[in-house]
Amino acid sequence: MEESVVVLDYGSHTIKAGYALSFPSDSEPRIVKPSLVEIGSTGAASQPPTAKQTAVVSQGRIQEHDQFEAILHQILYQDLAWQQGTEGSIVVAEPLFTSRHDRELIAQLLFEVFNVSGMYVQDQAVLSLYSLGRTSGLVVDIGHGKCDIGTVTEGLLNSSSTRRIPTAGAALTSLLQQQLCSHHLSTQNAQHLKEQCASACESSEEYDVLAAAASHTQPTHNTSSAAHPDTGASTSANQNSASHPSATSPTPPHTYILPDGHAIDVSPSIAASLGEALFRPTPSQQHTSDSGCGIAYAACDAVSSLGDFASRRACFDSIVLCGGSSLIKGVAARFLRDLRTLAPPSTSPAYVPVPDYLQAEHTARYASWIGGSVIAKVLAQQNQYVTKADYEEHGPAAVRRCT
């Protein structure tokens, strides 16, 4: 039944679900549940997480299938009021790099356990573009457990140009805990504090000046430069920073209130270091990252790997920056600035404008879910769902024709 089409978007921090036909509405997705569960002696899943926690989804992959099933059961039959025997269809927003095996496991779960009438699976990058009415472009999704970068051409993901950087929301929370180690912040308090204080400087030079002022010393090291993957042109991270007049005038810290009522002071340099880590990962982050030079370089590298100029230009012209961590103050402006420095002179990278009927922050946070609700309205007419009959005939492999 068309009215019961549910869009499901699962991530490392939250699982989003809601009815497709209720969109556009700021109340959708109506269900946003943590992807962390507390496992008690009976193994039951409960939320919100408080004590010992287990990650159900980590870096876009379902790690705890039993707990994922328990959360999904609550979402569908309690929160969304599905009735057993009359289940509807589901559109799944799938993270990049999901394996065929994992996709088939989800199909098996939905058809055999939840008895859905149909399902459709699409990459989150493609759906994020759909949310803003585009079928081609560059999507940079800065989430909780990872940052995924994908290029899309006419509704198809270019798999060879996808990139993943592990530096994202969770890594920034850990970085803040390390910098404020004397306060012994819990992960929950550190995450709350990060959401309040994190910011990104307009440029790497500005950050170097801020950091130097905080330490009462001039920068004495050469910051790594980001070289264009094709031309070799570089953007120096410390040009003219040593002579900046404010380098010896540290800004006083700002006081924030934690959920438990305690106050904590955070200096501007620490707040800015969180955003800076997305653009210039620390040495430890560089060691584990596909791209040691941050999200702007990785995005430019992804686009540059495309074979023809028309596709590269289309991606630079239509950029979608989304995910909860993309909402950090200053990140959007900094990303575009750095990308324009790295991109070829014949291009002019630009964001896709958000339509008037959508709220910008809401769209950035739930872009792939919104895109799923957009495409759900045309799937039935185009016969794109994998139906129960398809599954019974071909088994889990039937889901391969979705994407």
Side-chain angles (χ1 to χ4, degrees):
M1 187 169 61
E2 190 176 15
E3 289 78 6
S4 60
V5 176
V6 168
V7 180
L8 177 69
D9 180 7
Y10 63 93
S12 302
H13 188 235
T14 57
I15 297 174
K16 285 80 67 177
Y19 284 113
L21 295 187
S22 299
F23 176 81
S25 169
D26 289 344
S27 63
E28 292 286 2
R30 67 184 67 184
I31 307 301
V32 180
K33 289 186 178 294
S35 297
L36 295 175
V37 296
E38 177 188 349
I39 301 185
S41 58
T42 61
S46 61
Q47 51 88 103
T50 53
K52 185 177 180 181
Q53 300 171 351
T54 297
V56 176
V57 181
S58 177
Q59 294 194 342
R61 186 177 185 186
I62 299 172
Q63 301 291 342
E64 301 289 340
H65 287 269
D66 290 342
Q67 278 67 45
F68 183 79
E69 179 183 332
I71 293 175
L72 195 54
H73 188 280
Q74 181 178 353
I75 289 174
L76 294 177
Y77 293 109
Q78 298 181 33
D79 300 327
L80 296 179
W82 268 14
Q83 298 297 317
Q84 290 188 347
T86 60
E87 291 86 354
S89 299
I90 288 187
V91 174
V92 180
E94 183 180 80
L96 300 187
F97 301 100
T98 297
S99 68
R100 177 181 297 177
H101 173 70
D102 287 346
R103 183 183 303 141
E104 291 179 357
L105 285 177
I106 293 178
Q108 185 175 3
L109 174 68
L110 293 178
F111 281 112
E112 296 186 9
V113 177
F114 295 102
N115 195 36
V116 299
S117 59
M119 71 172 292
Y120 180 85
V121 180
Q122 186 56 272
D123 297 294
Q124 290 176 348
V126 175
L127 295 179
S128 295
L129 278 168
Y130 286 170
S131 72
L132 297 179
R134 301 296 175 94
T135 58
S136 299
L138 167 69
V139 177
V140 180
D141 186 346
I142 313 175
H144 179 73
K146 40 66 178 180
C147 172
D148 279 349
I149 298 170
T151 64
V152 180
T153 303
E154 297 301 327
L156 296 176
L157 179 72
N158 300 302
S159 300
S160 62
S161 67
T162 55
R163 304 288 186 270
R164 171 167 289 179
I165 299 177
T167 304
L172 302 187
T173 300
S174 297
L175 178 60
L176 183 60
Q177 287 178 294
Q178 294 170 16
Q179 294 177 325
L180 300 176
C181 58
S182 62
H183 294 275
H184 304 289
L185 290 173
S186 66
T187 300
Q188 183 177 2
N189 279 339
Q191 182 171 312
H192 178 85
L193 181 61
K194 178 199 68 180
E195 292 171 355
Q196 293 185 77
C197 75
S199 64
C201 291
E202 292 184 0
S203 66
S204 56
E205 295 91 344
E206 180 180 310
Y207 173 75
D208 286 340
V209 170
L210 186 63
S215 62
H216 300 284
T217 59
Q218 300 294 338
T220 58
H221 63 281
N222 290 325
T223 308
S224 59
S225 300
H228 186 275
D230 286 341
T231 66
S234 63
T235 56
S236 175
N238 65 338
Q239 292 176 352
N240 301 323
S241 61
S243 59
H244 196 285
S246 64
T248 57
S249 303
T251 306
H254 186 81
T255 302
Y256 299 91
I257 305 300
L258 299 177
D260 58 12
H262 289 84
I264 187 170
D265 291 337
V266 179
S267 69
S269 62
I270 289 180
S273 70
L274 303 179
E276 193 67 20
L278 295 173
F279 300 95
R280 292 192 294 179
T282 64
S284 61
Q285 292 166 336
Q286 290 178 356
H287 179 71
T288 59
S289 175
D290 291 338
S291 171
C293 296
I295 59 174
Y297 179 92
C300 190
D301 179 60
V303 176
S304 298
S305 68
L306 297 176
D308 61 285
F309 175 76
S311 295
R312 294 194 296 269
R313 183 162 189 169
C315 286
F316 280 129
D317 287 345
S318 301
I319 301 172
V320 174
L321 184 66
C322 57
S325 298
S326 72
L327 298 173
I328 291 175
K329 181 181 178 182
V331 164
R334 170 70 177 278
F335 174 76
L336 193 60
R337 179 189 185 277
D338 284 7
L339 189 61
R340 284 174 173 172
T341 302
L342 292 165
S346 57
T347 62
S348 181
Y351 290 124
V352 178
V354 179
D356 293 338
Y357 62 86
L358 294 176
Q359 199 271 337
E361 181 176 333
H362 184 84
T363 303
R365 191 179 298 275
Y366 303 118
S368 55
W369 187 94
I370 293 172
S373 69
V374 170
I375 198 172
K377 298 180 181 181
V378 299
L379 288 175
Q381 291 88 338
Q382 297 181 356
N383 192 31
Q384 292 294 308
Y385 283 110
V386 173
T387 65
K388 183 73 170 178
D390 294 329
Y391 181 81
E392 291 174 348
E393 180 179 356
H394 301 288
V399 77
R400 296 178 192 173
R401 78 176 182 89
C402 285
T403 56

